[in-house]
PDB file of all heavy atoms in Angstrom:
ATOM      1  N   PRO A 812     -84.738  -2.246 -15.229  1.00  0.00           N
ATOM      2  CA  PRO A 812     -84.796  -1.534 -16.543  1.00  0.00           C
ATOM      3  C   PRO A 812     -84.292  -2.394 -17.592  1.00  0.00           C
ATOM      4  O   PRO A 812     -83.446  -3.343 -17.464  1.00  0.00           O
ATOM      5  CB  PRO A 812     -83.874  -0.323 -16.279  1.00  0.00           C
ATOM      6  CG  PRO A 812     -82.900  -0.783 -15.279  1.00  0.00           C
ATOM      7  CD  PRO A 812     -83.631  -1.665 -14.337  1.00  0.00           C
ATOM      8  N   GLU A 813     -84.808  -2.208 -18.803  1.00  0.00           N
ATOM      9  CA  GLU A 813     -84.447  -2.937 -20.054  1.00  0.00           C
ATOM     10  C   GLU A 813     -83.044  -2.462 -20.350  1.00  0.00           C
ATOM     11  O   GLU A 813     -82.641  -1.288 -20.327  1.00  0.00           O
ATOM     12  CB  GLU A 813     -85.485  -2.693 -21.204  1.00  0.00           C
ATOM     13  CG  GLU A 813     -86.795  -3.192 -20.890  1.00  0.00           C
ATOM     14  CD  GLU A 813     -86.717  -4.771 -20.793  1.00  0.00           C
ATOM     15  OE1 GLU A 813     -85.984  -5.345 -21.372  1.00  0.00           O
ATOM     16  OE2 GLU A 813     -87.735  -5.256 -20.197  1.00  0.00           O
ATOM     17  N   LEU A 814     -82.168  -3.458 -20.885  1.00  0.00           N
ATOM     18  CA  LEU A 814     -80.879  -3.079 -21.338  1.00  0.00           C
ATOM     19  C   LEU A 814     -80.794  -3.569 -22.750  1.00  0.00           C
ATOM     20  O   LEU A 814     -81.322  -4.531 -23.196  1.00  0.00           O
ATOM     21  CB  LEU A 814     -79.851  -3.859 -20.527  1.00  0.00           C
ATOM     22  CG  LEU A 814     -79.721  -3.586 -19.054  1.00  0.00           C
ATOM     23  CD1 LEU A 814     -78.643  -4.409 -18.305  1.00  0.00           C
ATOM     24  CD2 LEU A 814     -79.513  -2.021 -18.850  1.00  0.00           C
ATOM     25  N   SER A 815     -79.944  -2.716 -23.552  1.00  0.00           N
ATOM     26  CA  SER A 815     -79.728  -3.031 -24.909  1.00  0.00           C
ATOM     27  C   SER A 815     -78.214  -3.116 -25.027  1.00  0.00           C
ATOM     28  O   SER A 815     -77.625  -2.113 -25.448  1.00  0.00           O
ATOM     29  CB  SER A 815     -80.394  -2.026 -25.886  1.00  0.00           C
ATOM     30  OG  SER A 815     -81.792  -2.083 -25.693  1.00  0.00           O
ATOM     31  N   GLY A 831     -79.300   2.692 -24.190  1.00  0.00           N
ATOM     32  CA  GLY A 831     -80.831   2.666 -24.201  1.00  0.00           C
ATOM     33  C   GLY A 831     -81.244   2.821 -22.768  1.00  0.00           C
ATOM     34  O   GLY A 831     -82.387   2.624 -22.419  1.00  0.00           O
ATOM     35  N   MET A 832     -80.305   3.101 -21.787  1.00  0.00           N
ATOM     36  CA  MET A 832     -80.705   3.280 -20.536  1.00  0.00           C
ATOM     37  C   MET A 832     -80.947   4.732 -20.063  1.00  0.00           C
ATOM     38  O   MET A 832     -80.487   5.586 -20.792  1.00  0.00           O
ATOM     39  CB  MET A 832     -79.597   2.742 -19.400  1.00  0.00           C
ATOM     40  CG  MET A 832     -79.423   1.206 -19.690  1.00  0.00           C
ATOM     41  SD  MET A 832     -78.051   0.553 -18.692  1.00  0.00           S
ATOM     42  CE  MET A 832     -78.767   0.787 -17.112  1.00  0.00           C
ATOM     43  N   ALA A 833     -81.599   4.977 -18.974  1.00  0.00           N
ATOM     44  CA  ALA A 833     -81.872   6.314 -18.521  1.00  0.00           C
ATOM     45  C   ALA A 833     -80.502   7.022 -18.011  1.00  0.00           C
ATOM     46  O   ALA A 833     -79.607   6.218 -17.539  1.00  0.00           O
ATOM     47  CB  ALA A 833     -82.928   6.354 -17.425  1.00  0.00           C
ATOM     48  N   ALA A 853     -88.892   5.206 -12.802  1.00  0.00           N
ATOM     49  CA  ALA A 853     -89.015   6.230 -13.941  1.00  0.00           C
ATOM     50  C   ALA A 853     -88.773   5.460 -15.209  1.00  0.00           C
ATOM     51  O   ALA A 853     -87.671   4.759 -15.349  1.00  0.00           O
ATOM     52  CB  ALA A 853     -88.095   7.320 -13.801  1.00  0.00           C
ATOM     53  N   PRO A 854     -89.430   5.639 -16.287  1.00  0.00           N
ATOM     54  CA  PRO A 854     -89.259   5.060 -17.595  1.00  0.00           C
ATOM     55  C   PRO A 854     -88.028   5.693 -18.328  1.00  0.00           C
ATOM     56  O   PRO A 854     -87.781   6.819 -18.038  1.00  0.00           O
ATOM     57  CB  PRO A 854     -90.499   5.336 -18.326  1.00  0.00           C
ATOM     58  CG  PRO A 854     -91.159   6.562 -17.747  1.00  0.00           C
ATOM     59  CD  PRO A 854     -90.796   6.484 -16.244  1.00  0.00           C
ATOM     60  N   ALA A 855     -87.404   4.915 -19.088  1.00  0.00           N
ATOM     61  CA  ALA A 855     -86.315   5.343 -19.845  1.00  0.00           C
ATOM     62  C   ALA A 855     -86.722   6.258 -21.029  1.00  0.00           C
ATOM     63  O   ALA A 855     -87.696   5.912 -21.616  1.00  0.00           O
ATOM     64  CB  ALA A 855     -85.475   4.203 -20.326  1.00  0.00           C
ATOM     65  N   PRO A 856     -86.052   7.460 -21.071  1.00  0.00           N
ATOM     66  CA  PRO A 856     -86.423   8.358 -22.172  1.00  0.00           C
ATOM     67  C   PRO A 856     -86.141   7.646 -23.553  1.00  0.00           C
ATOM     68  O   PRO A 856     -85.176   6.955 -23.744  1.00  0.00           O
ATOM     69  CB  PRO A 856     -85.610   9.600 -21.894  1.00  0.00           C
ATOM     70  CG  PRO A 856     -84.345   9.054 -21.162  1.00  0.00           C
ATOM     71  CD  PRO A 856     -84.899   7.847 -20.375  1.00  0.00           C
ATOM     72  N   ALA A 857     -87.039   7.928 -24.453  1.00  0.00           N
ATOM     73  CA  ALA A 857     -86.840   7.415 -25.807  1.00  0.00           C
ATOM     74  C   ALA A 857     -85.722   8.050 -26.498  1.00  0.00           C
ATOM     75  O   ALA A 857     -85.438   9.341 -26.356  1.00  0.00           O
ATOM     76  CB  ALA A 857     -88.034   7.655 -26.562  1.00  0.00           C
ATOM     77  N   PRO A 858     -84.956   7.370 -27.116  1.00  0.00           N
ATOM     78  CA  PRO A 858     -83.812   7.988 -27.986  1.00  0.00           C
ATOM     79  C   PRO A 858     -84.338   8.765 -29.153  1.00  0.00           C
ATOM     80  O   PRO A 858     -85.413   8.568 -29.593  1.00  0.00           O
ATOM     81  CB  PRO A 858     -82.973   6.740 -28.312  1.00  0.00           C
ATOM     82  CG  PRO A 858     -83.983   5.621 -28.452  1.00  0.00           C
ATOM     83  CD  PRO A 858     -84.886   5.876 -27.389  1.00  0.00           C
ATOM     84  N   ALA A 861     -86.439   7.866 -32.576  1.00  0.00           N
ATOM     85  CA  ALA A 861     -87.228   6.589 -32.503  1.00  0.00           C
ATOM     86  C   ALA A 861     -88.596   6.899 -32.774  1.00  0.00           C
ATOM     87  O   ALA A 861     -89.155   8.056 -32.392  1.00  0.00           O
ATOM     88  CB  ALA A 861     -86.970   6.003 -31.020  1.00  0.00           C
ATOM     89  N   ALA A 862     -89.269   5.956 -33.301  1.00  0.00           N
ATOM     90  CA  ALA A 862     -90.741   6.184 -33.768  1.00  0.00           C
ATOM     91  C   ALA A 862     -91.497   4.835 -33.605  1.00  0.00           C
ATOM     92  O   ALA A 862     -90.818   3.766 -33.639  1.00  0.00           O
ATOM     93  CB  ALA A 862     -90.828   6.768 -35.129  1.00  0.00           C
ATOM     94  N   GLY A 863     -92.662   4.927 -33.453  1.00  0.00           N
ATOM     95  CA  GLY A 863     -93.526   3.789 -33.447  1.00  0.00           C
ATOM     96  C   GLY A 863     -94.149   3.604 -32.053  1.00  0.00           C
ATOM     97  O   GLY A 863     -93.664   4.016 -31.136  1.00  0.00           O
ATOM     98  N   ALA A 864     -95.344   2.998 -32.045  1.00  0.00           N
ATOM     99  CA  ALA A 864     -96.090   2.758 -30.813  1.00  0.00           C
ATOM    100  C   ALA A 864     -95.807   1.365 -30.280  1.00  0.00           C
ATOM    101  O   ALA A 864     -95.581   0.485 -30.982  1.00  0.00           O
ATOM    102  CB  ALA A 864     -97.597   2.959 -31.072  1.00  0.00           C
ATOM    103  N   VAL A 865     -95.942   1.297 -28.927  1.00  0.00           N
ATOM    104  CA  VAL A 865     -95.686  -0.004 -28.240  1.00  0.00           C
ATOM    105  C   VAL A 865     -97.011  -0.315 -27.574  1.00  0.00           C
ATOM    106  O   VAL A 865     -97.668   0.357 -27.004  1.00  0.00           O
ATOM    107  CB  VAL A 865     -94.541   0.166 -27.112  1.00  0.00           C
ATOM    108  CG1 VAL A 865     -94.452  -1.117 -26.455  1.00  0.00           C
ATOM    109  CG2 VAL A 865     -93.286   0.503 -27.836  1.00  0.00           C
ATOM    110  N   ARG A 866     -97.369  -1.727 -27.642  1.00  0.00           N
ATOM    111  CA  ARG A 866     -98.497  -2.164 -27.129  1.00  0.00           C
ATOM    112  C   ARG A 866     -98.488  -2.168 -25.561  1.00  0.00           C
ATOM    113  O   ARG A 866     -97.450  -2.660 -25.074  1.00  0.00           O
ATOM    114  CB  ARG A 866     -98.777  -3.666 -27.565  1.00  0.00           C
ATOM    115  CG  ARG A 866    -100.072  -4.164 -27.030  1.00  0.00           C
ATOM    116  CD  ARG A 866    -100.309  -5.554 -27.493  1.00  0.00           C
ATOM    117  NE  ARG A 866    -101.468  -6.157 -26.986  1.00  0.00           N
ATOM    118  CZ  ARG A 866    -102.068  -7.352 -27.334  1.00  0.00           C
ATOM    119  NH1 ARG A 866    -101.353  -8.078 -27.988  1.00  0.00           N
ATOM    120  NH2 ARG A 866    -103.173  -7.799 -26.737  1.00  0.00           N
ATOM    121  N   ARG A 867     -99.353  -1.569 -24.879  1.00  0.00           N
ATOM    122  CA  ARG A 867     -99.262  -1.400 -23.408  1.00  0.00           C
ATOM    123  C   ARG A 867    -100.060  -2.437 -22.786  1.00  0.00           C
ATOM    124  O   ARG A 867    -101.225  -2.838 -23.212  1.00  0.00           O
ATOM    125  CB  ARG A 867     -99.871   0.051 -22.998  1.00  0.00           C
ATOM    126  CG  ARG A 867     -99.031   1.110 -23.770  1.00  0.00           C
ATOM    127  CD  ARG A 867     -99.645   2.473 -23.454  1.00  0.00           C
ATOM    128  NE  ARG A 867     -99.565   2.842 -22.097  1.00  0.00           N
ATOM    129  CZ  ARG A 867    -100.145   3.916 -21.484  1.00  0.00           C
ATOM    130  NH1 ARG A 867    -100.985   4.645 -22.289  1.00  0.00           N
ATOM    131  NH2 ARG A 867     -99.916   4.202 -20.244  1.00  0.00           N
ATOM    132  N   GLU A 876    -100.911   3.514 -13.972  1.00  0.00           N
ATOM    133  CA  GLU A 876    -101.168   3.552 -15.419  1.00  0.00           C
ATOM    134  C   GLU A 876    -100.607   2.302 -16.171  1.00  0.00           C
ATOM    135  O   GLU A 876     -99.606   1.709 -15.590  1.00  0.00           O
ATOM    136  CB  GLU A 876    -100.706   4.820 -16.093  1.00  0.00           C
ATOM    137  CG  GLU A 876     -99.237   4.958 -16.003  1.00  0.00           C
ATOM    138  CD  GLU A 876     -98.779   6.183 -16.893  1.00  0.00           C
ATOM    139  OE1 GLU A 876     -99.474   6.474 -17.794  1.00  0.00           O
ATOM    140  OE2 GLU A 876     -97.718   6.750 -16.614  1.00  0.00           O
ATOM    141  N   PRO A 877    -101.134   1.956 -17.270  1.00  0.00           N
ATOM    142  CA  PRO A 877    -100.637   0.708 -17.998  1.00  0.00           C
ATOM    143  C   PRO A 877     -99.145   0.793 -18.334  1.00  0.00           C
ATOM    144  O   PRO A 877     -98.684   1.936 -18.421  1.00  0.00           O
ATOM    145  CB  PRO A 877    -101.412   0.700 -19.331  1.00  0.00           C
ATOM    146  CG  PRO A 877    -102.699   1.387 -18.956  1.00  0.00           C
ATOM    147  CD  PRO A 877    -102.267   2.541 -18.004  1.00  0.00           C
ATOM    148  N   TRP A 878     -98.517  -0.250 -18.221  1.00  0.00           N
ATOM    149  CA  TRP A 878     -97.109  -0.368 -18.587  1.00  0.00           C
ATOM    150  C   TRP A 878     -96.788  -0.890 -19.885  1.00  0.00           C
ATOM    151  O   TRP A 878     -97.435  -1.852 -20.393  1.00  0.00           O
ATOM    152  CB  TRP A 878     -96.410  -1.347 -17.591  1.00  0.00           C
ATOM    153  CG  TRP A 878     -94.967  -1.477 -17.708  1.00  0.00           C
ATOM    154  CD1 TRP A 878     -94.241  -2.307 -18.507  1.00  0.00           C
ATOM    155  CD2 TRP A 878     -93.978  -0.562 -17.230  1.00  0.00           C
ATOM    156  NE1 TRP A 878     -92.873  -2.140 -18.460  1.00  0.00           N
ATOM    157  CE2 TRP A 878     -92.747  -0.967 -17.664  1.00  0.00           C
ATOM    158  CE3 TRP A 878     -94.017   0.561 -16.352  1.00  0.00           C
ATOM    159  CZ2 TRP A 878     -91.602  -0.303 -17.385  1.00  0.00           C
ATOM    160  CZ3 TRP A 878     -92.773   1.138 -16.115  1.00  0.00           C
ATOM    161  CH2 TRP A 878     -91.566   0.763 -16.499  1.00  0.00           C
ATOM    162  N   PRO A 879     -95.823  -0.260 -20.637  1.00  0.00           N
ATOM    163  CA  PRO A 879     -94.983   0.917 -20.284  1.00  0.00           C
ATOM    164  C   PRO A 879     -95.786   2.101 -20.390  1.00  0.00           C
ATOM    165  O   PRO A 879     -96.874   2.169 -21.017  1.00  0.00           O
ATOM    166  CB  PRO A 879     -93.848   0.797 -21.243  1.00  0.00           C
ATOM    167  CG  PRO A 879     -94.422   0.189 -22.442  1.00  0.00           C
ATOM    168  CD  PRO A 879     -95.481  -0.827 -21.943  1.00  0.00           C
ATOM    169  N   PRO A 880     -95.294   3.271 -19.910  1.00  0.00           N
ATOM    170  CA  PRO A 880     -95.894   4.581 -19.943  1.00  0.00           C
ATOM    171  C   PRO A 880     -96.094   5.097 -21.413  1.00  0.00           C
ATOM    172  O   PRO A 880     -95.389   4.453 -22.271  1.00  0.00           O
ATOM    173  CB  PRO A 880     -95.081   5.505 -19.199  1.00  0.00           C
ATOM    174  CG  PRO A 880     -93.780   4.859 -19.077  1.00  0.00           C
ATOM    175  CD  PRO A 880     -94.016   3.315 -19.141  1.00  0.00           C
ATOM    176  N   ALA A 881     -97.027   5.956 -21.600  1.00  0.00           N
ATOM    177  CA  ALA A 881     -97.333   6.371 -22.875  1.00  0.00           C
ATOM    178  C   ALA A 881     -96.170   7.080 -23.560  1.00  0.00           C
ATOM    179  O   ALA A 881     -96.016   7.175 -24.870  1.00  0.00           O
ATOM    180  CB  ALA A 881     -98.484   7.356 -22.888  1.00  0.00           C
ATOM    181  N   SER A 882     -95.203   7.676 -22.766  1.00  0.00           N
ATOM    182  CA  SER A 882     -94.087   8.369 -23.370  1.00  0.00           C
ATOM    183  C   SER A 882     -92.957   7.439 -23.907  1.00  0.00           C
ATOM    184  O   SER A 882     -91.919   7.900 -24.295  1.00  0.00           O
ATOM    185  CB  SER A 882     -93.582   9.403 -22.288  1.00  0.00           C
ATOM    186  OG  SER A 882     -93.124   8.675 -21.184  1.00  0.00           O
ATOM    187  N   PHE A 883     -93.096   6.053 -23.576  1.00  0.00           N
ATOM    188  CA  PHE A 883     -91.965   5.238 -23.814  1.00  0.00           C
ATOM    189  C   PHE A 883     -91.905   4.952 -25.364  1.00  0.00           C
ATOM    190  O   PHE A 883     -92.889   4.617 -25.941  1.00  0.00           O
ATOM    191  CB  PHE A 883     -92.160   3.877 -23.011  1.00  0.00           C
ATOM    192  CG  PHE A 883     -91.156   2.827 -23.414  1.00  0.00           C
ATOM    193  CD1 PHE A 883     -89.922   2.950 -22.838  1.00  0.00           C
ATOM    194  CD2 PHE A 883     -91.327   1.839 -24.292  1.00  0.00           C
ATOM    195  CE1 PHE A 883     -88.836   1.932 -23.102  1.00  0.00           C
ATOM    196  CE2 PHE A 883     -90.412   0.915 -24.495  1.00  0.00           C
ATOM    197  CZ  PHE A 883     -89.151   0.897 -23.939  1.00  0.00           C
ATOM    198  N   VAL A 884     -90.741   4.939 -25.873  1.00  0.00           N
ATOM    199  CA  VAL A 884     -90.469   4.632 -27.347  1.00  0.00           C
ATOM    200  C   VAL A 884     -89.400   3.681 -27.354  1.00  0.00           C
ATOM    201  O   VAL A 884     -88.289   3.933 -26.801  1.00  0.00           O
ATOM    202  CB  VAL A 884     -90.164   5.908 -28.166  1.00  0.00           C
ATOM    203  CG1 VAL A 884     -89.918   5.500 -29.562  1.00  0.00           C
ATOM    204  CG2 VAL A 884     -91.351   6.850 -28.146  1.00  0.00           C
ATOM    205  N   PRO A 885     -89.547   2.516 -27.962  1.00  0.00           N
ATOM    206  CA  PRO A 885     -88.468   1.468 -28.002  1.00  0.00           C
ATOM    207  C   PRO A 885     -87.230   2.028 -28.816  1.00  0.00           C
ATOM    208  O   PRO A 885     -87.399   2.708 -29.753  1.00  0.00           O
ATOM    209  CB  PRO A 885     -89.046   0.340 -28.757  1.00  0.00           C
ATOM    210  CG  PRO A 885     -90.114   0.879 -29.496  1.00  0.00           C
ATOM    211  CD  PRO A 885     -90.656   2.112 -28.808  1.00  0.00           C
ATOM    212  N   ALA A 886     -86.059   1.491 -28.254  1.00  0.00           N
ATOM    213  CA  ALA A 886     -84.754   1.990 -28.985  1.00  0.00           C
ATOM    214  C   ALA A 886     -84.613   1.116 -30.141  1.00  0.00           C
ATOM    215  O   ALA A 886     -84.971   0.003 -30.167  1.00  0.00           O
ATOM    216  CB  ALA A 886     -83.653   1.909 -27.985  1.00  0.00           C
ATOM    217  N   ARG A 915     -83.989 -10.446 -28.632  1.00  0.00           N
ATOM    218  CA  ARG A 915     -85.223 -10.247 -29.210  1.00  0.00           C
ATOM    219  C   ARG A 915     -85.031  -9.922 -30.690  1.00  0.00           C
ATOM    220  O   ARG A 915     -85.961  -9.685 -31.551  1.00  0.00           O
ATOM    221  CB  ARG A 915     -86.001  -9.042 -28.571  1.00  0.00           C
ATOM    222  CG  ARG A 915     -86.368  -9.299 -27.206  1.00  0.00           C
ATOM    223  CD  ARG A 915     -86.930  -8.056 -26.512  1.00  0.00           C
ATOM    224  NE  ARG A 915     -85.756  -7.106 -26.402  1.00  0.00           N
ATOM    225  CZ  ARG A 915     -85.938  -5.868 -25.866  1.00  0.00           C
ATOM    226  NH1 ARG A 915     -87.034  -5.491 -25.387  1.00  0.00           N
ATOM    227  NH2 ARG A 915     -84.896  -5.102 -25.714  1.00  0.00           N
TER     228      ARG A 915
END
Side-chain angles (χ1 to χ4, degrees):
E813 298 290 339
L814 299 179
S815 297
M832 298 176 60
V865 178
R866 182 177 179 182
R867 303 172 69 191
E876 62 174 329
W878 181 265
S882 60
F883 177 80
V884 178
R915 293 170 297 178

